[in-house]
Amino acid sequence: SGLRVMRVLMSSLLLVLLSACSAETPESLLEDYAQRVANVIDYPIDLQLDPSIPAYPRTRDRWLEVEELREGVVDVFDLRRCGLMELIGERNSSLGKLALPSQRLLYELRFLPPLRQCIDTLASQAVRDEDEEVLLKRLRQIEQIKREQLPRVLSNAIFNSSEMEIQFSRNHPPLSMAQASQITALVPALEQFEHLVTLSETTGWQLPQWSSELEQHYATLYAQPFGAPWLKSLTLLSQTLDQTATAIEARLDQRPICFNNRPNNRARIIQSVFTGWYAEQLQPLMSALHRSGIQWREGLEPLYTHLPLTPSLQLYFDTTLSDHEHSLWQHYIRARDRHTAAWQRLLGQCGMMPGNTSAQDA
C-alpha cells in the first residue's frame, strides 16, 4: 500500500515536471527566435538575457510621515455632537493603532464627510455662543489637517501596502504571453485608486459607496502579481530585440545578402523566418506585453504622478514605468523601433518589403 502511494506520488511529480518542461517560457521563445535569425543571416547571435529589474524600495523608504492630531486635542472637542466619538474610539484602540495602511485610509474616508457636515451645520446657525465659536474654529482646524494629509495617507495605503509590494516583488518569474491577459482583473482596483486620487484633490465629497469593496480590490492585487513579471518579460524582450537588431545590422554592413535588390534562395528563407517566426511567434508576444503594459501604465500613472512619493519611490517609477528617457519602458520602445528598422533594411535590400513586386518578378 505504501509502495503504491509512493508510485502515485512519483507519477504525479513526473507529470508536473514534464508539463513544466514543455511549457514555453518567454526566455525559450526569445532564444529560439534569435537562433533562427542567426542561422538564416549566417551571423552569430550569442543571446544574453538578464531578467534583473530594479528592486521595489524597502518599507521605510516608501513610508510618508502623516501628521497626527496632538494627544488630548480631540478630547477637548465635543465631537459627540458630530457623531464621531465611536470612530475616534476605533482609531485609538489597540487594533486601530496597528491598522494596515488600507484600514487607515478607510478611517480617513469615513471621518471627513461627517466632520464637514458637522462644520456646515454649526456654521449655518444664526446664533452661536462662545463655546460653539471655539468648537467651530477647532473643527475647521481638524478638517484642514485631515484634508491636507489625505494624499499622503492614500499614497501610503497604495504604495506601502503588502499587496503592491507583492506586485513588484522580484521573486516572480517573467510573465508569459498567456498570463498577460490577467491585467484585466487588476484594472478595477487601479480605477478605484484613481477615483480616490481625484477625490483627494477635491472638496465636499462623500464616502464612496464602493468603499466596502476596497479590501477585495487589495486581495485581487495580492493574488495576481503582474508588475514585476511584466517588467521582467519586457526587459527580456528589449534585450532580444536589441541584440537581434545588432546582428542584422552587422551582417548587412559586412556584405549584401542580395544584389540589385533581387531576392535569392537565402532571401526566400529569410522571408519565411520573418513570416513564420517574427510575425507569427514574436509579434503576438510583443503585442500581448505591449497591450497589457499600456493598461498597467495607464492605471498606475495617475497614482505615482498625482500623489506625494518618497524620493526612493519616485526614482523607482522613473526608472521602470515612466516616459523618462532611461526607463525600462522607453528602452523597450527604442529596441522595438530599432528591431523593426533592421528588418526593414534586410527585407528592403532583397526587394521583399510589403508592396514590393520584385519578389514576384524574379
Side-chain angles (χ1 to χ4, degrees), residues 101-132:
S102 60
Q103 290 297 313
R104 171 67 189 275
L105 171 62
L106 285 171
Y107 169 81
E108 299 296 338
L109 294 177
R110 292 165 59 199
F111 189 95
L112 273 165
L115 175 61
R116 281 197 300 264
Q117 180 60 47
C118 188
I119 291 172
D120 292 343
T121 300
L122 193 55
S124 65
Q125 287 183 197
V127 179
R128 291 185 295 274
D129 59 29
E130 184 177 349
D131 288 342
E132 288 175 326

Side-chain angles (χ1 to χ4, degrees), residues 220-236:
T220 302
L221 285 171
Y222 189 89
Q224 301 195 44
F226 179 89
W230 177 76
L231 285 173
K232 284 186 175 182
S233 288
L234 192 75
T235 298
L236 294 173

Side-chain angles (χ1 to χ4, degrees), residues 56 102 105 154-169 172 182-194 196 213-229 295-296 299-300 303:
Y56 196 56
S102 60
L105 171 62
L154 181 53
S155 183
N156 283 338
I158 295 173
F159 298 118
N160 224 39
S161 64
S162 59
E163 292 81 2
M164 196 59 78
E165 189 172 3
I166 283 288
Q167 279 293 323
F168 291 108
S169 170
H172 303 296
Q182 73 185 39
I183 183 61
T184 55
L186 307 179
V187 169
L190 299 177
E191 289 177 342
Q192 302 296 35
F193 287 151
E194 183 180 0
L196 292 178
E213 304 168 6
L214 194 58
E215 289 297 343
Q216 181 57 47
H217 289 309
Y218 275 99
T220 302
L221 285 171
Y222 189 89
Q224 301 195 44
F226 179 89
Q295 288 182 280
W296 181 241
L300 281 171
L303 311 182

